[in-house]
Amino acid sequence: MQELKDKIKQYGTVLPGNVLKVDAFLNHQVDPELMYHVGQEFAKHFAGRGITKIWTVESSGIAPAVMTGLAMHLPVIFARKHKSLTLNSDMYTADVYSYTKKTTNRISISKKYVDQNDKVLLIDDFLANGQAVEGMMEIADQAGIEVAGAGIVITKTFQPGANELRDKGVEVYSLAKVKSLDNGQVTFDTDD
Ligand code: G4P
């Protein structure tokens, strides 16, 4: 998605540890017009697949997920994130390890908002090691519902998440694929 790649080039900065900081339009300040276009792009790609709900994880996944829900006329559920959470029979839960932050969070979705015939589209801002998407897949598994695919705003293809998800049979659709952040430079995949 050219508009997104232009924003990354213009405003993205590279931090030590291969972290792409995009606080100017995605992770802190949010560019609603860009997010609106992101939602339309995911809606176009995943149209006609019988999707019933959009899932994401708080907090940075919410903006692109809500815009996708708007474009697809579907409800959006964001998994809540907790440092620890006592197991509760009203919730589906999964543990998500963040390699970036070296912490484990338990994510949860209330059973109240899950139907047996749901088919969910997973949306997230970044795909790096794939832990957040895998946590949502674990919850879908517990609920016995289908995952239609994953829509990712920015995928770091030099980290293992995208390939691991594909190996598990999940379609990953990324709007910007970052091949490298070496020397402080953002390089996109050539097929992007
Ligand atoms: P994952 O996102 O594939 O699960 O991999 P990882 O465990 O490495 O990511 C942990 C957190 O760091 C995630 O956010 C993820 O979105 C974020 N992250 C990973 N790489 C980058 C990067 O290059 N730039 C930025 N800005 N974020 C990155 P989170 O802990 O779920 O936080 P949030 O959604 O509350 O912001």
Side-chain angles (χ1 to χ4, degrees), residues 112-154:
K112 192 159 70 171
Y113 301 113
V114 181
D115 297 323
Q116 281 319 299
N117 59 351
D118 271 339
K119 184 171 181 180
V120 294
L121 171 61
L122 311 179
I123 297 286
D124 214 355
D125 57 334
F126 268 93
L127 177 60
N129 291 293
Q131 298 301 298
V133 171
E134 287 197 25
M136 289 191 275
M137 284 171 56
E138 195 182 318
I139 288 180
D141 220 42
Q142 286 169 29
I145 62 167
E146 212 180 322
V147 171
I152 306 295
V153 182
I154 302 172

Side-chain angles (χ1 to χ4, degrees), residues 20 27 59-60 81 98-101 126 128-132 156:
L20 174 61
N27 290 140
S59 53
S60 297
K81 213 188 269 172
S98 163
Y99 287 96
T100 312
K101 297 172 183 165
F126 268 93
N129 291 293
Q131 298 301 298
K156 291 154 81 183

Side-chain angles (χ1 to χ4, degrees), residues 1-14 19-27 31 34-35 38 125-126 152-156 158 174-181 184-189 192:
M1 184 181 170
Q2 196 57 47
E3 182 187 357
L4 173 65
K5 291 198 287 179
D6 290 345
K7 285 274 177 189
I8 295 170
K9 281 281 184 201
Q10 191 174 359
Y11 298 109
T13 53
V14 180
V19 171
L20 174 61
K21 194 171 163 75
V22 286
D23 275 21
F25 60 88
L26 182 58
N27 290 140
D31 181 333
L34 176 67
M35 285 307 117
V38 160
D125 57 334
F126 268 93
I152 306 295
V153 182
I154 302 172
T155 293
K156 291 154 81 183
F158 58 91
S174 308
L175 301 186
K177 289 185 263 179
V178 173
K179 184 170 75 174
S180 146
L181 295 171
Q185 289 296 317
V186 183
T187 312
F188 295 105
D189 274 14
D192 196 11

Side-chain angles (χ1 to χ4, degrees), residues 84-120:
S84 67
L85 180 83
T86 42
L87 289 173
N88 174 338
S89 60
D90 299 334
M91 304 278 208
Y92 295 112
T93 62
D95 287 336
V96 173
Y97 178 71
S98 163
Y99 287 96
T100 312
K101 297 172 183 165
K102 310 265 182 285
T103 53
T104 299
N105 282 301
R106 184 159 286 175
I107 62 166
S108 66
I109 288 183
S110 169
K111 292 182 179 174
K112 192 159 70 171
Y113 301 113
V114 181
D115 297 323
Q116 281 319 299
N117 59 351
D118 271 339
K119 184 171 181 180
V120 294

Side-chain angles (χ1 to χ4, degrees), residues 51-66:
I51 293 165
T52 61
K53 281 174 194 150
I54 312 292
W55 280 10
T56 189
V57 179
E58 67 175 350
S59 53
S60 297
I62 295 176
V66 166

